[in-house]
Amino acid sequence: MYGYKKGVAVVTGAANGIGRAIALRLADEGCAVSLWDVDGAGLEAVAAQCRSAGVAVDTRVVDVGALPAVREAAAATTAVLGEAPRILVNAAGIGQVASILDGSPEEFDETMRVNVRGTYNCCHVLLPAMTAQRGGNVVNIASWFGKSGRPMSLAYCASKFALIGMTQSMALDLARDGIRVNAVCPGTITDTRMREAADRQAVAKGLPPATERVHMIPLARLGTPGDVANVVAFLISEQASYMTGQSINVTGGLWMN
């Protein structure tokens, strides 16, 4: 436990997988949490778990790719929880197993809309209050696919490369305001809807699922959402107070750069 100063954290993509694990970890650290996702039923299940940690919880069914919806969710979060968020974790994301040859323009646009524009929207709306308070933390969930181009992942790679660039640029722009911006780059993570969808698409195209690629991972196991949440919790803590603009791998040694 890092002994956070109490504050409000917004976690996008909080209904499942990595976002859910992050929301639970931040609640355990004492943060009031606002959980954002398009899956209302999933949000309520996570909210119940967060409340058991004794913190205030707000849920918002919101499409982060739609700027008006993000503005509305931000205003409602501040009104319900009584203060503007000082922590933002952009975990909402989608992806497809597809190359330039078999992926559609519509799929590409939707991936960029959710992964890149969604992160932009949340930062654009929530960061002014953090600058006014002279402090805050942003963590973007990127991917090791944002550091190395991978086959059959054109749109996803493009979106995650963009997130790493955004992370570095925002870190430079916001450092003078006491705001740190970092990214986490997960490797092959199990127990997420994205993993399940990617495995289905891979198998349909004659490619191996994640469980058949474990031998490629030096630590010889798939990652868990909790592995990612632990690193997010560290980056938000005062123990990481001299870190900004970093993109931290959580890959079991699969990627080291």
Side-chain angles (χ1 to χ4, degrees):
M1 302 294 286
Y2 291 106
Y4 290 167
K5 295 176 182 178
K6 292 186 177 179
V8 174
V10 168
V11 181
T12 72
N16 180 261
I18 291 172
R20 173 183 175 276
I22 293 167
L24 294 173
R25 179 61 192 271
L26 296 189
D28 285 342
E29 294 285 353
C31 293
V33 289
S34 185
L35 314 177
W36 295 10
D37 204 294
V38 294
D39 177 3
L43 282 179
E44 290 307 318
V46 179
Q49 292 179 279
C50 290
R51 290 188 182 101
S52 69
V55 300
V57 180
D58 177 52
T59 61
R60 296 288 143 194
V61 177
V62 55
D63 172 5
V64 295
L67 183 57
V70 171
R71 286 182 171 139
E72 181 179 346
T77 292
T78 299
V80 169
L81 295 179
E83 60 181 288
R86 294 176 66 90
I87 297 168
L88 168 62
V89 182
N90 290 300
I94 61 173
Q96 302 84 33
V97 178
S99 73
I100 188 64
L101 298 176
D102 59 357
S104 72
E106 293 77 16
E107 288 173 336
F108 182 90
D109 287 347
E110 183 65 3
T111 300
M112 300 300 284
R113 187 187 75 85
V114 174
N115 297 4
V116 180
R117 184 57 191 261
T119 296
Y120 171 88
N121 287 345
C122 293
C123 292
H124 178 72
V125 170
L126 293 174
L127 277 168
M130 293 189 205
T131 61
Q133 297 177 80
R134 303 292 298 173
N137 268 283
V138 178
V139 179
N140 298 319
I141 304 303
S143 171
W144 74 292
F145 279 41
K147 294 186 171 184
S148 174
R150 306 301 300 162
M152 301 299 291
S153 302
L154 177 76
Y156 189 69
C157 282
S159 71
K160 297 303 184 176
F161 268 84
L163 287 188
I164 291 175
M166 290 168 65
T167 296
Q168 294 176 0
S169 182
M170 287 191 292
L172 292 171
D173 289 338
L174 298 168
R176 64 181 179 273
D177 296 307
I179 298 168
R180 296 189 295 108
V181 186
N182 291 290
V184 176
C185 298
T188 308
I189 307 298
T190 191
D191 297 328
T192 73
R193 289 180 183 170
M194 188 179 293
R195 173 81 275 135
E196 293 167 0
D199 281 349
R200 286 195 302 271
Q201 293 173 39
V203 170
K205 294 185 177 186
L207 302 171
T211 53
E212 296 181 13
R213 302 198 304 273
V214 174
H215 66 279
M216 300 170 61
I217 302 171
L219 289 183
R221 69 172 176 88
L222 300 178
T224 69
D227 291 325
V228 181
N230 288 339
V231 177
V232 172
F234 166 71
L235 288 172
I236 292 169
S237 78
E238 286 302 307
Q239 293 187 24
S241 63
Y242 201 52
M243 295 178 65
T244 195
Q246 304 306 302
S247 299
I248 307 300
N249 298 328
V250 186
T251 68
L254 187 60
W255 189 254
M256 300 185 181
N257 201 350

